Amino acid sequence: MNQIDAPSAAPSDLPPALERYFERSRIALALSEMNEDVPLCLVNHAFLDLTGYETQDVLGRNCRFLQGDDSDAADKAELSKFIHDDLRDSGRFHILNYRKDGSRFHNLVFMSRLRDEEGVTRYILASQFDMSPVLDRARLDANDATLARNISDIDKIAKEYGLAMISSAQLIADSITLIARLSVPRT
């Protein structure tokens, strides 16, 4: 669907093997130059598919354009701290990001420095993973536990007042849980 720009869009000193790796990888990858505002200089198909942007929308921009109002300030600060701390070679970060269409996704970002022969950071390589389905399942499990506690409380109250509707409540709760589980996409 989306195309990586011609090699002229990437820095001319990038090893051809790295560019080929970007083209083949099914993992969302982005490469940023370590200058000024750490702009993106190379992205792959998986990155474009994950974010919904086109190549021309992202090259030359810092990845923070993916952040939004609900992106956590502490998460943003951790990313920035890594970028500006040349002693750290790699890091893993969670950040709430937004696609071009405005939909949110929980991004697990792995960042690594690519250094030249003198040890100077030239690029930062980032791989992104959409963790939304996993987090949605975790929320479902937490909701199930809360629902079970509530059902137990209702059961106690119902028994205290001689009510016999708890099996109906359990059936409704089980149905809601089943519908919720079926609606969460499997990875």
Side-chain angles (χ1 to χ4, degrees), residues 2 25 44 59 63 76 81 94-95 97 127 132 141 176 182-183:
N2 294 309
S25 181
N44 69 352
L59 292 183
C63 259
K76 293 191 272 188
K81 191 168 140 183
H94 169 262
I95 185 85
N97 282 158
S127 54
S132 300
D141 291 342
I176 291 168
L182 291 174
S183 67

Side-chain angles (χ1 to χ4, degrees), residues 19 33 51 58-59 66-67 73 80 86 114 145 158 173 181-182:
E19 289 186 70
E33 291 183 271
T51 65
V58 301
L59 292 183
L66 295 171
Q67 300 167 7
S80 180
D86 199 54
L114 301 180
R181 286 192 185 280
L182 291 174

Side-chain angles (χ1 to χ4, degrees), residues 117-154:
E117 299 81 28
E118 286 86 41
V120 175
T121 301
R122 297 287 313 280
Y123 303 101
I124 292 181
L125 172 65
S127 54
Q128 294 88 22
F129 299 90
D130 181 0
M131 298 303 291
S132 300
V134 173
L135 293 173
D136 289 343
R137 273 197 202 80
R139 279 194 281 277
L140 277 178
D141 291 342
N143 288 342
D144 285 352
T146 300
L147 188 57
R149 283 192 304 276
N150 289 337
I151 294 286
S152 176
D153 292 344
I154 291 171

Side-chain angles (χ1 to χ4, degrees), residues 62-127:
N62 183 294
C63 259
R64 77 170 125 336
F65 72 89
L66 295 171
Q67 300 167 7
D69 293 338
D70 291 333
S71 298
D72 186 73
D75 294 338
K76 293 191 272 188
E78 282 300 311
L79 285 165
S80 180
K81 191 168 140 183
F82 170 80
I83 290 168
H84 296 96
D85 181 359
D86 199 54
L87 298 176
R88 291 178 61 189
D89 285 326
S90 61
R92 181 182 68 191
F93 310 93
H94 169 262
I95 185 85
L96 178 65
N97 282 158
Y98 293 82
R99 293 179 178 88
K100 185 175 184 176
D101 68 6
S103 63
R104 299 160 37 140
F105 67 101
H106 292 272
N107 197 354
L108 183 60
V109 182
F110 292 86
M111 296 172 66
S112 299
R113 292 180 185 284
L114 301 180
R115 299 177 186 271
D116 63 18
E117 299 81 28
E118 286 86 41
V120 175
T121 301
R122 297 287 313 280
Y123 303 101
I124 292 181
L125 172 65
S127 54

Side-chain angles (χ1 to χ4, degrees), residues 20-29 44-50 127-129:
R20 285 192 303 273
Y21 179 76
F22 264 65
E23 291 172 11
R24 288 190 322 262
S25 181
R26 299 176 114 194
I27 295 171
L29 298 174
N44 69 352
H45 296 285
F47 177 90
L48 299 172
D49 290 341
L50 174 63
S127 54
Q128 294 88 22
F129 299 90

